[in-house]
Amino acid sequence: MTAQQVGPIDYLVLEFPGARLQGKGLPALLDLVERGIIRILDLRVAKVTDTGVVGVALTDLDDDGELDLAVFEGATSGLLDDDDLARGASLVEPGNAVGMIVYENTWAGPFVTAMREAGAEVVSSGRIPVDDVVAALDALESAPPA
């Protein structure tokens, strides 16, 4: 795989209060992967205790006897290491769990490749925080008509 074939790479750090991992977001995550919108590069989950971080197997996160994330077991690109997991864990309170996902936005790969072939280069990319988007939309809705 060349750099021209890769879409932007993003990550998410999720906190699960009380380390309750119910798997309710899994269908949406699987749907994104199956439709080719994203590709999971790394996926790790850990429980945060007062004394450290304990990795959690991706097979049965909620202890209900059903396989939850087994489809992603072994998903590792090397982009997310133990130091990253520790940094993610430092963002959550002891007694909670942390989930970290590194994923490729595969939907953007063909566009970026086409732009590079046309001589363009991606010089920056970023993300607008969700709270900022919601605030801007709320402001638009409450603004008087022009």
Side-chain angles (χ1 to χ4, degrees), residues 20-75:
R20 289 183 309 277
L21 304 165
Q22 300 173 2
K24 291 185 178 182
L26 294 178
L29 183 62
L30 288 171
D31 180 60
L32 291 170
V33 170
E34 288 171 356
R35 291 191 297 142
I37 296 170
I38 66 169
R39 179 170 57 117
I40 302 298
L41 300 174
D42 290 283
L43 178 60
R44 298 195 51 194
V45 178
K47 291 183 181 177
V48 180
T49 68
D50 290 325
T51 58
V53 180
V54 179
V56 175
L58 298 179
T59 52
D60 185 14
L61 296 176
D62 54 10
D63 293 323
D64 67 355
E66 295 181 24
L67 296 179
D68 297 323
L69 293 175
V71 67
F72 299 119
E73 190 171 18

Side-chain angles (χ1 to χ4, degrees), residues 113-127:
T113 299
M115 292 295 93
R116 284 189 176 139
E117 288 171 356
E121 287 294 326
V122 176
V123 294
S124 180
S125 66
R127 171 142 301 129

Side-chain angles (χ1 to χ4, degrees), residues 6 14 16 19 22 24 26 28 33 40 53 59 63 77 79 86 104 107 111 113-114 116 125 131-132 137 140:
V6 177
L14 305 166
F16 298 93
Q22 300 173 2
K24 291 185 178 182
L26 294 178
V33 170
I40 302 298
V53 180
T59 52
D63 293 323
S77 68
L79 293 172
E104 175 191 358
W107 62 268
F111 172 72
T113 299
R116 284 189 176 139
S125 66
D131 291 342
D132 292 352
L137 293 174
L140 281 174

Side-chain angles (χ1 to χ4, degrees), residues 85-98:
L85 188 61
R87 279 192 290 280
S90 73
L91 300 172
V92 307
E93 295 293 322
N96 295 340
V98 63

